[in-house]
Amino acid sequence: MKNIDAYTHVRGESIYLDDIPLIQGSLFGASFGSPVAHGVITNLDLRDAITHPGVVRIFTHKDIPGENQIGGIVPDEPLLAGHEVHFCGMPVAFVVADSMEAARAAVKKIKLTIDPLPVITDPREAQAQGELIIPPRTFQLGDTASSWSQCAHIFEGRADTNGQEHLYIETQGAYAVPQEHNAIKVYSSTQGPTAVQRAVSRVLGLPMHLVEVEVNRLGGGFGGKEDQANTWAALCALAAHHLKKPVKYSLHRMEDMAMTGKRHPYSADFKIGLNEALKIIAYEVTFYQNAGAAADLSPAVLERTLFHCTNSYYIPNVKATAYSCRTHLPPNTAFRGFGGPQGMFMIESAIAKAAEELGINAAIIQEKNLLQTGDEFPYGQKAQSEAPECWHKAKTLYDLDAMLQQVQAFNATNTLYKKGLACMPICFGISFTKTLMNQARSLVHVYMDGSVGITTGAVEMGQGVNTKIAQVAAQVFSIQPEKIKIHTTNTFKIANTSPSAASATADLNGKATMLACTAIADRLKKMAAEELGVDVRLVALQNEYVYVNGQRTDRDWKSLVMAGHIKRIGLSEHAHYATPEIYFDATKEKGHPFAYHVYGTAFVSITVDCIRGIYTVDAVKVVHDFGASMNIAVDMGQLEGGIVQGIGWMTMEEVVYDTNGKLRSNALSTYKVPDIYAVPKEIAVEFLQTPHENLAIFRSKAVGEPPLMYGIGAYFALRNAIRAYNENGHFPFAAPMTPERVLMALYPTQKKGITESHEETINHLAVDK
Amino acid sequence: MATKGPHNEDPNDKALNKGRREFLKHSSLLTALAVAPPHLVKAAESALDEKAAVYFEQVPLSLEVNGVHHKLSVEPRVTLLDLLREQLALPGTKKGCDHGQCGACTVHVNGRRVLSCMSLAVMQEGKKVTTIEGLANGDQLHPMQEAFIKHDGFQCGYCTPGQIMSGIACIREGHANSDEEVREYMSGNICRCGAYPNIVKAIADVKKGGHKL
């Protein structure tokens, strides 16, 4: 089935937040963000700003009728700074004017006096100073301490990953409209309507049933609008509540980049031990997560880093400790993969380190240690593993040995171009790691003309979830998809939603929709059976007709529905789904947190231009565990898009803050996202159709996040290519591997090799230290 | 102690502004435009004289958008993008970065692709503008729109109008003779969802179809 939004997308008729027709009298907001990363506010001078023509009012923390707090997991994030500022871009005041231009111009006239305090940008420094968001967590399996003696090879090292700007092409925004009875309606570009509802409710001191949040669709989310849409919604709601007028704020790209958090940068120390047969016996890792100035979703992201710290390998002895470190950067947040990719990069670095030291191909170690069904993850769950199937199928299908030989042959004959090949197996757990979030509801109405309207908690952001939900209803009722309309996501229709995240949205909301449709269909079938005087078990809905015992009757869908209405059969259903079997005990750090895992293997090959340091991704060849894909076009889109985004994170996307905590990569001119050239020349995808039962909707496994992690292979392919040129090159395990860093790794100027920037530059930068 | 405040106005500047404001208040629109347009533009650009803008910053503009003639009054600082979205209620053209860096705002002016966020509305006097809303003939889609549906050339859809407008121009310019060439001439349009392979397929398909675009 085609994407249900295809027709409006290509006609420019799809409505995003900034396209909603404005109500007369609407005002426009703009946020004044702190120019300093850390300090005490001594004076906020609004005099010039307030007299700017068109300005209606300027809001500060003093205007908040409820609680000045939007922190979701930990209450540590004020909506508007009062006494202190904690990051550059932290909202201090909110200007509302009769035009966007006036609001932005007035923002520039606000004067803020700050007594600066020390700025921390490095997570290791924050950890050393005890600046932690939550107490450290440790996942443990077996006993590493006593295992090192069994190891023939032990390697230690450090690995670092940088952040990643979400760069949804639609920026953040909200439009708040006051309603009668003191209620408020907020249109928000959010992945988490309930999170926005909670934040607004808390800030305004209103019960949740007075806060309606509506989302039509997003122009991309990628995790960036899971919790970070709250700020703008709460600011608009605050202003609309006071002024009794609609207030809209659609962020400028540079405001968005400067004020919102990104993927978490991580630093890690690892120690890996292997026996003579190259089985990994023990792995110890310590993660330092750069959480930024407030918790946001960092504790949950940290948890997923631990869950995925062994990727798709079985390691009998594991000790993984993670620190969520408070720094003075904008609060970092969810981003496709949610900490998982960072955990995987570290174990892959450890394996690469071992392989480099032993002078063998990392693939040998990878293959020998793949998870088998029944193996235990460090968190106690037993694997239903497709890892070996994916690996071996890829190895045969794409002829890994031949690929490796071709690379060797190329490198033997070329001096200025070198090729690198890396294998990247993945394993990603599906479910929110917080068990309570694994629930969803769907509201299905069958109207008397046979048309169907569905509302769920899912937010459409390009991942095709609404298309999949329409497919579910079309299949259960056996009607044409044209008869089905998926309505906006709205907190007054569906309450207490989980955000559209964790790749689980189609599963959760799809299953709830299936339950609701099935309940209505069952009632209609029962009625038809009585009408026709047959056993209900013989009645089926098929191609818009009632079938009895495989024979079509005269009763079509439309007349069946109308008859149901006349006979007063309930044609609406609100169904609830909660993922079964999952639990997790955080006190023991053990449990069964995931409904299932998604596996896959990618071979990534890259050619490096050794004069210029630039490179081309030649091919990404994948065998991916889709279960039984219910929509190949949608799933392929997720796969290709995920790979490109993962490659971007690993190669070209470089978030740069200076030591004062100010974002330097603050526009598309200074932050490079994958353009059409970044796409691998070849993306080959083989669908591994797995026979096992799983908890996915129609057994079609979640596909949003897992493919991003194939992109990690790009880093290691680059590394192999560079080492083919410069055999003795030693360079740190640090991503992204920008062309600049590749060049420096190709031509190390010191004995041990460097990839750091020029010393003068480095003194001013925060992340490259 | 650090004091931050971007606009520390020079007192002389203020006097100057006051003078200009008074002058403008006492002139008619046409006189003001005839006598001192550079000052007006400057005042608008520096955003120092908002009142002047309110009184006088309206310039007549006549142009054709999607086959419809418009006679408008616009502020000289208004971009073509804002004109389309806010004054003409054509929100199909998207604002991604407002800096000419993402391509989401691509439209056609006299048949050639233009970044509408980087073009002032007043510069389009007498020109023909086509936006995404002007491509289809009623229910009948433009071949490029058909191709984007056929090849799933989108995910979230936000960059799609710009991609389609750019794709049509790419073929018109004679820059779609190979996938390689399509990539080169489409590299100014960012798709964060990464639907690039399908976008290339869609454009190549339309090119192959030999439609007159």
Side-chain angles (χ1 to χ4, degrees):
Chain A
M1 186 177 141
K2 281 279 172 198
N3 185 318
I4 56 171
D5 289 335
Y7 188 75
T8 54
H9 278 354
V10 300
R11 294 173 65 93
E13 290 168 0
S14 293
I15 302 291
Y16 303 83
L17 182 103
D18 200 23
D19 307 331
I20 297 169
L22 293 180
I23 294 164
Q24 207 171 12
S26 287
L27 300 172
F28 300 85
S31 170
F32 171 79
S34 171
V36 172
H38 191 202
V40 176
I41 296 173
T42 55
N43 189 37
L44 177 64
D45 182 354
L46 302 174
R47 283 171 302 180
D48 283 353
I50 197 77
T51 55
H52 187 89
V55 170
V56 175
R57 188 166 160 181
I58 301 176
F59 294 90
T60 68
H61 69 102
K62 291 177 188 152
D63 299 304
I64 293 173
E67 204 185 332
N68 183 17
Q69 185 54 248
I70 56 164
I73 298 177
V74 180
D76 66 351
E77 191 178 358
L79 173 65
L80 287 164
H83 178 58
E84 269 190 29
V85 292
H86 298 123
F87 62 92
C88 278
M90 181 176 184
V92 179
F94 188 59
V95 178
V96 176
D98 60 11
S99 75
M100 195 67 238
E101 292 75 20
R104 290 209 171 109
V107 160
K108 291 184 181 162
K109 292 186 173 175
I110 293 176
K111 296 183 186 77
L112 183 66
T113 317
I114 290 179
D115 268 344
L117 291 168
V119 173
I120 302 175
T121 56
D122 179 63
R124 288 177 186 257
E125 188 185 335
Q127 190 267 345
Q129 294 189 23
E131 287 289 340
L132 298 179
I133 300 277
I134 51 162
R137 291 179 66 174
T138 299
F139 279 25
Q140 227 164 334
L141 182 68
D143 178 33
T144 47
S146 64
S147 307
W148 301 115
S149 56
Q150 304 165 39
C151 299
H153 315 287
I154 297 172
F155 305 100
E156 292 180 66
R158 170 181 165 158
D160 291 86
T161 60
N162 199 341
Q164 185 175 24
E165 163 65 41
H166 300 85
L167 223 121
Y168 24 64
I169 305 291
E170 179 209 25
T171 55
Q172 304 259 6
Y175 182 33
V177 185
Q179 309 285 309
E180 59 182 30
H181 297 301
N182 213 25
I184 192 150
K185 177 164 185 171
V186 184
Y187 298 92
S188 168
S189 179
T190 180
Q191 294 172 242
T194 295
V196 166
Q197 186 189 25
R198 276 182 74 195
V200 170
S201 147
R202 198 166 180 180
V203 166
L204 298 186
L206 292 177
M208 284 169 81
H209 72 185
L210 290 181
V211 181
E212 178 181 9
V213 178
E214 182 161 305
V215 187
N216 194 29
R217 67 163 64 71
L218 312 186
F222 313 115
K225 296 171 180 171
E226 187 175 336
D227 249 27
Q228 303 229 334
N230 297 359
T231 307
W232 329 110
L235 288 173
C236 288
L238 173 68
H241 182 73
H242 281 289
L243 298 168
K244 302 289 171 219
K245 288 204 168 164
V247 177
K248 177 176 157 178
Y249 184 23
S250 183
L251 273 69
H252 188 272
R253 174 63 57 192
M254 290 182 80
E255 292 175 327
D256 190 306
M257 290 180 84
M259 293 182 189
T260 64
K262 333 236 168 266
R263 184 191 290 284
H264 293 78
Y266 271 68
S267 189
D269 296 317
F270 60 78
K271 183 177 179 185
I272 189 167
L274 302 93
N275 68 11
E276 283 294 354
L278 299 178
K279 282 269 187 193
I280 304 171
I281 300 300
Y283 178 57
E284 277 183 5
V285 60
T286 307
F287 297 104
Y288 301 91
Q289 177 202 53
N290 192 335
D296 193 272
L297 292 162
S298 298
V301 171
L302 186 87
E303 194 174 44
R304 198 173 267 277
T305 302
L306 290 167
F307 281 122
H308 296 311
C309 70
T310 55
N311 192 8
S312 57
Y313 308 110
Y314 173 64
I315 305 175
N317 302 288
V318 177
K319 186 180 179 191
T321 302
Y323 296 94
S324 182
C325 311
R326 195 185 294 275
T327 60
H328 299 105
L329 301 182
N332 285 315
T333 192
F335 195 137
R336 206 173 191 172
F338 206 73
Q342 291 95 320
M344 292 187 196
F345 181 82
M346 306 313 174
I347 180 75
E348 293 300 332
S349 294
I351 290 172
K353 169 101 181 175
E356 287 174 13
E357 296 284 337
L358 294 169
I360 57 169
N361 191 320
I364 297 167
I365 301 174
Q366 290 173 312
E367 184 175 335
K368 280 180 191 284
N369 291 281
L370 291 172
L371 268 167
Q372 308 288 329
T373 294
D375 283 345
E376 189 178 343
F377 288 101
Y379 46 91
Q381 186 163 344
K382 297 274 167 58
Q384 167 65 57
S385 180
E386 313 289 354
E389 282 74 7
C390 289
W391 180 280
H392 294 298
K393 188 162 186 187
K395 198 176 166 183
T396 322
L397 185 68
Y398 303 124
D399 201 345
L400 179 61
D401 293 337
M403 284 177 82
L404 286 166
Q405 278 165 17
Q406 279 164 15
V407 167
Q408 269 175 2
F410 181 92
N411 290 345
T413 51
N414 287 278
T415 45
L416 296 179
Y417 287 89
K418 294 291 177 189
K419 280 188 189 290
L421 175 67
C423 304
M424 185 64 209
I426 61 151
C427 164
F428 198 77
I430 303 302
S431 286
F432 287 97
T433 54
K434 195 94 180 152
T435 303
L436 79 87
M437 292 172 78
N438 295 286
Q439 53 171 317
R441 281 151 292 278
S442 174
L443 176 64
V444 177
H445 295 311
V446 177
Y447 293 91
M448 62 178 99
D449 66 352
S451 64
V452 175
I454 301 175
T455 312
T456 72
V459 171
E460 176 61 52
M461 49 187 166
Q463 85 280 47
V465 66
N466 281 353
T467 303
K468 288 186 171 178
I469 286 168
Q471 271 183 281
V472 170
Q475 182 155 335
V476 175
F477 291 137
S478 197
I479 58 175
Q480 289 301 306
E482 293 73 44
K483 286 202 163 61
I484 298 159
K485 172 80 172 75
I486 309 293
H487 295 304
T488 57
T489 315
N490 185 307
T491 57
F492 278 4
K493 309 279 187 339
I494 301 292
N496 310 322
T497 64
S498 289
S500 288
S503 305
T505 315
D507 279 357
L508 294 170
N509 294 279
K511 291 250 178 177
T513 303
M514 188 156 79
L515 292 174
C517 294
T518 305
I520 297 169
D522 284 350
R523 289 199 286 267
L524 288 169
K525 281 193 266 186
K526 182 165 172 273
M527 180 196 75
E530 284 164 9
E531 202 178 66
L532 298 164
V534 296
D535 187 330
V536 71
R537 283 168 297 185
L538 301 176
V539 176
L541 300 176
Q542 214 177 309
N543 298 326
E544 309 213 342
Y545 276 90
V546 173
Y547 277 65
V548 175
N549 217 0
Q551 293 297 309
R552 200 177 102 170
T553 67
D554 292 338
R555 184 57 103 187
D556 68 2
W557 167 255
K558 207 172 157 180
S559 74
L560 176 74
V561 168
M562 184 52 95
H565 179 63
I566 291 165
K567 291 211 170 134
R568 299 187 293 162
I569 302 284
L571 296 176
S572 296
E573 189 75 18
H574 180 256
H576 169 85
Y577 174 75
T579 314
E581 298 170 22
I582 52 170
Y583 66 93
F584 191 70
D585 182 349
T587 58
K588 296 193 181 80
E589 304 286 26
K590 296 284 177 194
H592 188 101
F594 299 117
Y596 57 91
H597 290 81
V598 173
Y599 296 86
T601 293
F603 301 149
V604 183
S605 61
I606 285 188
T607 306
V608 174
D609 174 338
C610 301
I611 295 289
R612 299 174 184 85
I614 56 174
Y615 42 78
T616 314
V617 182
D618 299 321
V620 177
K621 299 183 177 185
V622 181
V623 172
H624 186 83
D625 161 30
F626 286 94
S629 173
M630 68 184 283
N631 191 319
I632 287 175
V634 165
D635 288 355
M636 274 297 282
Q638 288 298 299
L639 196 111
E640 291 178 347
I643 288 173
V644 170
Q645 219 165 48
I647 291 174
W649 174 50
M650 283 285 115
T651 62
M652 68 185 71
E653 297 188 38
E654 191 173 27
V655 177
V656 181
Y657 287 97
D658 63 22
T659 42
N660 295 319
K662 208 172 183 79
L663 183 70
R664 295 295 188 173
S665 52
N666 64 349
L668 273 158
S669 52
T670 45
Y671 184 80
K672 182 150 178 61
V673 287
D675 62 12
I676 205 159
Y677 275 118
V679 180
K681 282 188 181 158
E682 183 192 359
I683 298 179
V685 181
E686 175 71 14
F687 286 59
L688 184 78
Q689 303 274 354
T690 47
H692 312 293
E693 244 344 286
N694 64 44
L695 288 168
I697 180 72
F698 293 154
R699 290 185 49 244
S700 176
K701 284 190 171 183
V703 72
E705 295 170 283
L708 181 128
M709 284 148 269
Y710 293 132
I712 297 172
Y715 172 86
F716 293 96
L718 270 173
R719 204 175 161 88
N720 291 339
I722 294 164
R723 286 170 53 82
Y725 181 81
N726 173 20
E727 218 171 312
N728 301 316
H730 289 272
F731 47 100
F733 289 94
M737 206 64 187
T738 58
E740 190 183 6
R741 287 207 199 164
V742 169
L743 200 58
M744 287 189 282
L746 287 164
Y747 303 98
T749 53
Q750 294 171 4
K751 215 175 181 184
K752 292 210 97 184
I754 53 154
T755 58
E756 284 87 2
S757 314
H758 192 273
E759 213 169 310
E760 267 305 297
T761 318
I762 191 114
N763 286 338
H764 301 290
L765 300 180
V767 286
D768 283 353
K769 269 187 177 172
Chain B
M1 186 154 345
T3 306
K4 296 276 167 174
H7 281 287
N8 289 326
E9 281 181 15
D10 187 322
N12 294 329
D13 235 30
K14 265 204 166 140
L16 202 79
N17 285 333
K18 191 158 176 276
R20 189 185 299 149
R21 197 174 302 144
E22 291 304 309
F23 160 73
L24 291 167
K25 260 185 197 165
H26 296 111
S27 327
S28 73
L29 167 65
L30 287 174
T31 324
L33 280 173
V35 174
H39 290 260
L40 282 171
V41 174
K42 202 173 170 214
E45 274 176 353
S46 60
L48 290 175
D49 208 335
E50 291 294 324
K51 275 182 184 156
V54 171
Y55 281 120
F56 299 105
E57 292 297 312
Q58 296 285 328
V59 176
L61 170 67
S62 159
L63 81 173
E64 191 184 307
V65 180
N66 299 334
V68 180
H69 288 282
H70 293 274
K71 278 196 181 303
L72 306 159
S73 287
V74 299
E75 284 184 49
R77 64 177 177 183
V78 164
T79 62
L80 177 57
L81 174 62
D82 286 344
L83 177 84
L84 293 169
R85 290 183 56 84
E86 287 163 25
Q87 269 180 269
L88 299 180
L90 293 169
T93 306
K94 301 298 180 212
K95 188 182 279 190
C97 68
D98 216 18
H99 279 170
Q101 296 162 348
C102 76
C105 67
T106 308
V107 299
H108 294 166
V109 175
N110 287 350
R112 300 178 62 155
R113 55 177 155 173
V114 154
L115 294 172
S116 63
C117 77
M118 298 290 278
S119 315
L120 291 173
V122 290
M123 293 163 67
Q124 317 309 322
E125 175 67 34
K127 293 181 181 168
K128 288 182 179 179
V129 178
T130 308
T131 72
I132 189 76
E133 290 97 335
L135 285 184
N137 185 4
D139 287 342
Q140 200 192 337
L141 296 177
H142 183 281
M144 191 63 78
Q145 293 173 313
E146 295 274 14
F148 265 68
I149 294 180
K150 181 177 161 196
H151 294 283
D152 273 296
F154 44 73
Q155 283 177 32
C156 79
Y158 203 79
C159 74
T160 310
Q163 301 279 2
I164 288 177
M165 299 311 285
S166 230
I168 294 168
C170 182
I171 294 178
R172 275 188 196 156
E173 293 158 9
H175 291 146
N177 299 309
S178 64
D179 285 2
E180 201 73 351
E181 209 181 12
V182 169
R183 273 194 283 273
E184 173 62 24
Y185 285 90
M186 289 299 291
S187 60
N189 288 75
I190 302 295
C191 169
R192 187 47 154 164
C193 301
Y196 296 123
N198 295 349
I199 292 169
V200 175
K201 277 182 212 159
I203 295 169
D205 200 359
V206 176
K207 165 74 185 170
K208 212 168 63 193
H211 301 276
K212 191 175 180 315
L213 302 178

